[in-house]
Amino acid sequence: MSVSHTKSSLGALTLGALGVVYGDIGTSVLYALKEVFATGLVGFTPDNVLGILSLFVWTLTLIVSFKYVVLVLRADNHGEGGLVAMLALASTAVQDKPHLRRVLLVVGIFGTALFYGDGVITPAISVLSAVEGLQVFSPALSHWVIPLTLAILFVLFWVQRRGTGGIGKFFGPLTLVWFVVIAILGVMHIAHNPEVLWALSPHYAAAFVAANPATSFLMLGALVLCVTGAEALYADMGHFGKKPIRLAWFSMVMPALILNYMGQGALLLREPEAIENPFFLMAPEWAVLPLIGLATMATVIASQALISGAFSVTKQVIQLGFLPRLQIHHTSAKDTGQVYIPLVNWGLFAAIVLAVVLFQSSANLASAYGIAVTTDMLITTVLTFFVVRYAWHYPLWVCLAATGVFAVVDIFFFASNLLKLFEGGWFPLLIGTLVFTLMVTWSKGRELLAKRQADEAMDLSGFLDAVFAGPPARVEGTAVFLSPQAGVVPSALLHNLKHNKVLHAQNLFVSVHSLSVPWVGLNERVRVQPLGHDCWQVELSFGFKNEPGIIMPLPAIRVNGDCSENLPMSDILG
């Protein structure tokens, strides 16, 4: 590969990461600072404004830059990221400790279930906060905010069945425009009040916390809004790779966010009454309406990324055996990752509509936001510890040093957000708990069924020897018998012999295994063991990112004689 091609690919991937990875965190400027001051916990003084701005800067630095971009992105599972990939990595690392592995599986699956709660709140608060800009443009338009928000969300979910391939190419450029615009808005106000840049020093954050410890703890529930979408950094690593994600963050996203927050702070220092909606009030009057349009497009892009993530996570969880098989439509002939799951799509939409109608404003939704996100952040830190300790084999003190600070920060954020439980935090928690209950119930049911079948199962090899001692009539063709476990007699075979009293000329006994790795290569996906009498045991293995398929691999199998050893796919493909 040439250097120029490498640079070109890196640029394209970095631009793509802007749209898909950073759409959510990029739109947090619409509501995060406003909600922190809306708590009414602190007086509106220059020192307090600088202290809160400094908390924003160092929350972004500590959680996003240090934790996710520097540390967590290193924990790739064969190039894949996300909570499911991290769970697979951690559980595999402790597979010699079955009790610990089971605990990690439960914790990881609960975190995955909470993703759906986040998937409801984030599109609702993002789109609603953008449309609320109409109130700044003209208070008379306030009654249109809810209907217009629901209309935009309906169109967004309706077009999901067409796939994101056609519109996805616009995500990166539009998001780039968004980050440039919010950076320019910030610079405009910083230029009028440059002393706001003192907030870049951690001294102001530390001084604010020291002077207001209880208030600082209570404010963490709103402060967490500035790191919405941080989990997307890790979840989308398989699509873009570490380098483009890191480059996009440090070169564009982080500077733009900090400049905009500083600009909002400069505006508030000069006009405290602008706290009503500091983001839109940053813009000149003539630019408010275009900014509302751009913000709406940015929030739609942020919501799209999360919806696509819900489809992807659902597919992976199905592969791991924690959800029943659902109807999955592939919307791209080239990218297997682009899928559409109708039940998930309209289930999310119904829950989002309920959230918008129930909470009515982005301020109220901010109270519901946080518990699901901070729980997932804490779970990611816990799983990262076990990966660093047992998969990377670092000394215990290194593991504690690498994850301990983040764990303490996550616990404080989580505890603060628990205070919002009865103000709306129950909503995403309820959704996550319902999904978790479904996952655990389905998995336990599969486990009990498999145990029952194993107790009643007969050995396939011995059964075939007995059958062919007095063989039934053979008919032309090939029969395929599916069995959840290799080496046991499928019930379909017993029924076929009982009712039809015949056996086909060739018989394939097929078992499908879902492994806790993202990908299984073609040369390892199919294994065949001859059983004699023109019968073969076929085992198909898929990772949770592979596209499972039984129809496609089977015609490619070519029998190479009656040998007794297992054959890899490379030896049996025609």
Side-chain angles (χ1 to χ4, degrees), residues 502-526:
V502 297
L503 206 59
H504 286 77
Q506 293 89 29
N507 297 275
L508 301 179
F509 300 96
V510 180
S511 296
V512 181
H513 307 295
S514 295
L515 307 182
S516 58
V517 295
W519 302 102
V520 175
L522 287 174
N523 62 329
E524 299 175 351
R525 198 171 297 175
V526 181

Side-chain angles (χ1 to χ4, degrees), residues 382-560:
V382 171
L383 294 179
T384 302
F385 169 82
F386 286 99
V387 171
V388 176
R389 180 74 176 110
Y390 295 103
W392 299 348
H393 306 292
Y394 278 93
L396 180 60
W397 70 269
V398 174
C399 304
L400 292 174
T403 60
V405 174
F406 302 130
V408 171
V409 172
D410 291 340
I411 289 170
F412 272 105
F413 271 105
F414 173 73
S416 178
N417 277 278
L418 277 180
L419 300 176
K420 301 192 297 184
L421 181 63
F422 298 106
E423 298 175 15
W426 59 269
F427 188 74
L429 202 59
L430 175 63
I431 294 173
T433 301
L434 290 175
V435 175
F436 175 73
T437 303
L438 173 62
M439 289 180 176
V440 172
T441 303
W442 180 260
S443 178
K444 186 63 176 178
R446 280 169 50 94
E447 183 182 326
L448 293 173
L449 180 60
K451 187 177 184 302
R452 177 69 178 270
Q453 290 176 334
D455 292 340
E456 299 177 352
M458 292 183 287
D459 177 67
L460 179 59
S461 181
F463 178 80
L464 291 177
D465 289 340
V467 167
F468 285 105
R474 307 292 289 265
V475 297
E476 293 185 0
T478 300
V480 177
F481 297 99
L482 294 177
S483 174
Q485 184 178 348
V488 301
V489 180
S491 58
L493 173 62
L494 296 175
H495 288 290
N496 185 57
L497 289 172
K498 178 180 179 181
H499 297 291
N500 299 324
K501 298 179 175 57
V502 297
L503 206 59
H504 286 77
Q506 293 89 29
N507 297 275
L508 301 179
F509 300 96
V510 180
S511 296
V512 181
H513 307 295
S514 295
L515 307 182
S516 58
V517 295
W519 302 102
V520 175
L522 287 174
N523 62 329
E524 299 175 351
R525 198 171 297 175
V526 181
R527 298 189 70 85
V528 176
Q529 179 184 4
L531 301 174
H533 314 290
D534 292 320
C535 297
W536 295 267
Q537 175 71 62
V538 180
E539 294 185 75
L540 305 178
S541 299
F542 300 96
F544 57 80
K545 292 284 284 185
N546 282 130
E547 182 58 38
I550 296 175
I551 301 300
M552 292 182 64
L554 292 183
I557 293 177
R558 185 189 67 212
V559 179
N560 288 333

Side-chain angles (χ1 to χ4, degrees), residues 3 63 132 194 258 289 299 311 353 452-453 503 517:
V3 175
I63 292 181
E132 281 174 348
I258 290 177
L289 198 56
T299 55
F311 295 155
V353 169
R452 177 69 178 270
Q453 290 176 334
L503 206 59
V517 295

Side-chain angles (χ1 to χ4, degrees), residues 207-330:
F208 180 85
V209 173
N212 310 277
T215 299
S216 299
F217 174 74
L218 295 173
M219 282 176 48
L220 292 178
L223 186 63
V224 73
L225 293 169
C226 77
V227 292
T228 61
E231 286 282 340
L233 288 169
Y234 184 43
D236 289 307
M237 180 169 59
H239 294 288
F240 301 99
K242 302 174 188 177
K243 191 171 182 179
I245 290 175
R246 286 171 172 161
L247 182 60
W249 172 252
F250 287 114
S251 66
M252 174 56 70
V253 182
M254 186 179 183
L257 291 176
I258 290 177
L259 285 172
N260 192 267
Y261 283 127
M262 290 294 171
Q264 291 188 46
L267 173 64
L268 293 176
L269 285 174
R270 191 171 68 253
E271 303 174 24
E273 64 276 9
I275 192 57
E276 178 186 353
N277 201 320
F279 177 80
F280 285 107
L281 290 172
M282 292 174 73
E285 187 174 344
W286 61 266
V288 171
L289 198 56
L291 186 60
I292 293 172
L294 179 61
T296 302
M297 287 189 288
T299 55
V300 166
I301 291 172
S303 302
Q304 173 61 62
L306 199 144
I307 295 166
S308 300
F311 295 155
S312 178
V313 167
T314 302
K315 179 185 170 186
Q316 294 176 25
V317 172
I318 289 172
Q319 285 289 88
L320 289 177
F322 285 93
L323 280 178
R325 298 285 175 182
L326 300 176
Q327 186 181 28
I328 298 178
H329 299 285
H330 291 269

